[in-house]
């Protein structure tokens, strides 16, 4: 063997450069479209913090706007323990899309500024998922919604928005077909609130799919939804214990809705922790009609997104951006 030849590069994890036994030379021989399909599965965080640094071929693939039509910022919620800035990564991913972004998922770290940054640069957006984003206000959501009128799918699970904000979103996004508004389901006390259900009924008539896991709506709110959303095909009411699907209401739901999940149906396929919080309330009046503030969370070359990095010293000669 020629000792002057460099050994084949290997794909390592994180910043440690440890080898995992995969020769990059074999990977770069794959057709670019196949390689792009594989790299997309890594996700935005993995691509920008690790994958695109492996070799020039991968970096060129990762810079293509087609790689960023869908951005998934899924994480475990431990954002304060991460070695990089999620907001900075997300902004850079959006920039990479060059206006072609269609789907984005933000978890735990969403803010008004970030949401508006996305909306300003993604007018073709069709799917927006904001989960556990308590730092996004009514005003921030409304401002962003006004810039993405082609939105078809919206998930606002475990966030906190008013009836007015939800109505504004519905009016700004007339093509909305799927809406998720999930929260923690409390069996006791049985506080009733139809505000969110009425917002859906008054502003989202084109819905085909609606999930309101753990909501405090009553039969009145459900009646309003059924009267207004005539195209509804699937309805998830699990843990909505103020809804009584008996008699006429039960028959109407069964006849109208193809895929109906009832309050006591199994939660095995629910993606979040569905266990009941052990909470004792001294006064029902203290519990707001909107979402509770109780903790519901379950038991390019040479650039860095690290909190500890000196961003002013990092420059990409190709992209020309400077942190």
């Amino acid at each position: 063997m020629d000792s002057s030849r460099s050994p084949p590069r290997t794909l390592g994890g994180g910043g440690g450069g440890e080898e995992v036994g995969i020769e990059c030379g074999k990977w770069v021989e794959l057709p670019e479209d196949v390689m792009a399909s594989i790299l997309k599965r890594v996700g935005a965080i993995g691509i920008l913090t690790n994958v695109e640094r492996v070799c020039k071929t991968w970096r060129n693939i990762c810079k293509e706007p087609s790689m960023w039509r869908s951005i998934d910022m899924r994480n475990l919620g431990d954002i304060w323990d991460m070695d990089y800035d999620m907001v900075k990564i997300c902004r850079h991913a959006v920039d990479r899309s060059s206006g072609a972004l269609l789907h984005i998922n933000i978890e735990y770290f969403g803010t008004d500024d970030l949401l508006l940054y996305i909306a300003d640069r993604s007018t073709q957006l069709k799917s927006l998922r904001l989960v556990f984003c308590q730092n996004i206000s009514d005003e921030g959501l409304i401002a962003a919604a006004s810039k993405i009128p082609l939105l078809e799918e919206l998930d606002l699970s475990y966030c906190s928005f008013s009836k007015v904000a939800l109505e504004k979103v519905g009016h700004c996004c007339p093509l909305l077909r799927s809406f998720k508004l999930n929260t923690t389901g409390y069996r006791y006390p049985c506080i009733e609130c139809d505000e969110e259900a009425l917002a859906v009924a008054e502003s989202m008539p084109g819905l085909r799919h609606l999930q309101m896991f753990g909501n405090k709506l009553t039969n009145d709110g459900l009646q309003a939804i059924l009267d207004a959303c005539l195209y509804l095909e699937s309805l998830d009411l699990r843990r909505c214990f103020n809804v009584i699907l008996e008699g006429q209401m039960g028959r109407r739901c069964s006849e109208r809705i193809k895929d109906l999940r009832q309050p006591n149906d199994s939660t095995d396929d629910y993606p979040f922790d569905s266990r009941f919080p052990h909470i004792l309330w001294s006064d029902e009046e203290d519990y707001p009609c909107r979402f509770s503030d109780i903790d519901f969370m379950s038991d390019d070359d040479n650039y860095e997104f690290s909190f500890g990095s000196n961003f002013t010293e990092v420059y990409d000669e190709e992209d020309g951006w400077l942190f």
Side-chain angles (χ1 to χ4, degrees):
M1 180 177 178
D2 185 358
S3 59
S4 65
R5 294 180 58 189
S6 300
R9 299 183 64 185
T10 57
L11 174 60
E18 63 272 19
E19 297 185 356
V20 294
I22 301 176
E23 293 186 1
C24 290
K26 295 180 180 179
W27 286 89
V28 297
E29 294 173 1
L30 292 173
E32 284 196 7
D33 59 334
V34 175
M35 197 67 250
S37 178
I38 294 173
L39 295 181
K40 285 179 183 178
R41 303 173 189 273
V42 177
I45 301 173
I47 290 175
L48 290 176
T49 61
N50 186 16
V51 170
E52 69 169 26
R53 303 181 184 189
V54 171
C55 63
K56 184 176 181 179
T57 298
W58 285 15
R59 175 167 172 76
N60 290 337
I61 292 174
C62 292
K63 291 177 68 176
E64 288 295 322
S66 60
M67 284 286 293
W68 305 96
R69 290 175 182 163
S70 179
I71 297 175
D72 187 355
M73 301 295 293
R74 194 181 308 271
N75 63 88
L76 299 177
D78 53 346
I79 57 175
W80 299 114
D81 293 328
M82 293 179 179
D83 295 329
Y84 37 80
D85 187 334
M86 293 290 283
V87 172
K88 189 177 293 291
I89 291 176
C90 186
R91 285 174 178 251
H92 192 58
V94 172
D95 291 341
R96 286 280 183 93
S97 73
S98 299
L101 182 62
L102 298 177
H103 314 276
I104 190 166
N105 172 37
I106 305 294
E107 298 184 3
Y108 296 99
F109 64 93
T111 64
D112 287 355
D113 288 343
L114 177 60
L115 186 57
L116 195 58
Y117 187 91
I118 295 168
D120 281 337
R121 293 157 178 78
S122 312
T123 56
Q124 305 300 309
L125 195 66
K126 291 186 176 181
S127 175
L128 174 62
R129 186 173 186 264
L130 303 173
V131 179
F132 295 109
C133 292
Q134 291 291 318
N135 290 325
I136 297 179
S137 68
D138 283 357
E139 294 77 15
L141 181 66
I142 294 170
S146 68
K147 299 174 181 291
I148 47 176
L150 301 183
L151 197 68
E152 297 178 3
E153 300 177 2
L154 178 62
D155 187 343
L156 300 178
S157 296
Y158 301 96
C159 297
S160 179
F161 300 111
S162 70
K163 177 178 183 290
V164 172
L166 297 179
E167 287 178 347
K168 291 284 188 179
V169 169
H171 293 311
C172 289
C173 306
L175 301 182
L176 208 57
R177 297 294 180 265
S178 175
F179 184 44
K180 295 182 180 182
L181 189 67
N182 303 318
T183 187
T184 302
Y186 293 88
R187 187 180 292 276
Y188 303 106
C190 297
I191 304 220
E192 300 178 353
C193 182
D194 286 316
E195 284 196 352
E196 293 163 336
L198 294 177
V200 170
E202 294 168 9
S203 66
M204 306 178 188
L207 286 182
R208 267 69 172 177
H209 311 283
L210 176 61
Q211 185 178 57
M212 301 185 74
F213 189 102
N215 199 272
K216 299 185 288 295
L217 83 163
T218 69
N219 278 30
D220 291 338
L222 177 56
Q223 182 74 50
I225 291 174
L226 294 176
D227 289 342
C229 303
L230 303 180
Y231 305 102
L232 206 57
E233 299 174 5
S234 67
L235 178 60
D236 191 343
L237 297 172
R238 285 177 293 177
R239 297 288 167 86
C240 297
F241 295 119
N242 295 326
V243 171
I244 309 300
L245 294 182
E246 297 177 353
Q248 184 178 355
M249 178 62 77
R251 288 192 299 272
R252 185 180 185 190
C253 287
S254 298
E255 294 170 359
R256 275 275 314 277
I257 310 300
K258 296 178 182 178
D259 181 12
L260 176 65
R261 310 297 294 271
Q262 302 194 32
N264 288 298
D265 282 356
S266 172
T267 60
D268 288 347
D269 62 344
Y270 187 63
F272 304 107
D273 189 350
S274 61
R275 293 172 296 180
F276 292 111
H278 297 289
I279 304 295
L280 294 177
W281 297 97
S282 59
D283 183 357
E284 291 189 4
E285 293 300 320
D286 291 337
Y287 188 75
C289 193
R290 292 174 61 192
F291 183 72
S292 170
D293 60 356
I294 292 185
D295 185 5
F296 50 75
M297 295 164 58
S298 59
D299 299 351
D300 277 345
D301 303 325
N302 305 328
Y303 66 85
E304 296 288 344
F305 295 99
S306 168
F307 285 112
S309 297
N310 184 352
F311 294 113
T312 61
E313 297 180 357
V314 181
Y315 180 71
D316 185 298
E317 294 183 357
E318 293 183 55
D319 287 348
W321 43 266
L322 180 66
F323 289 116

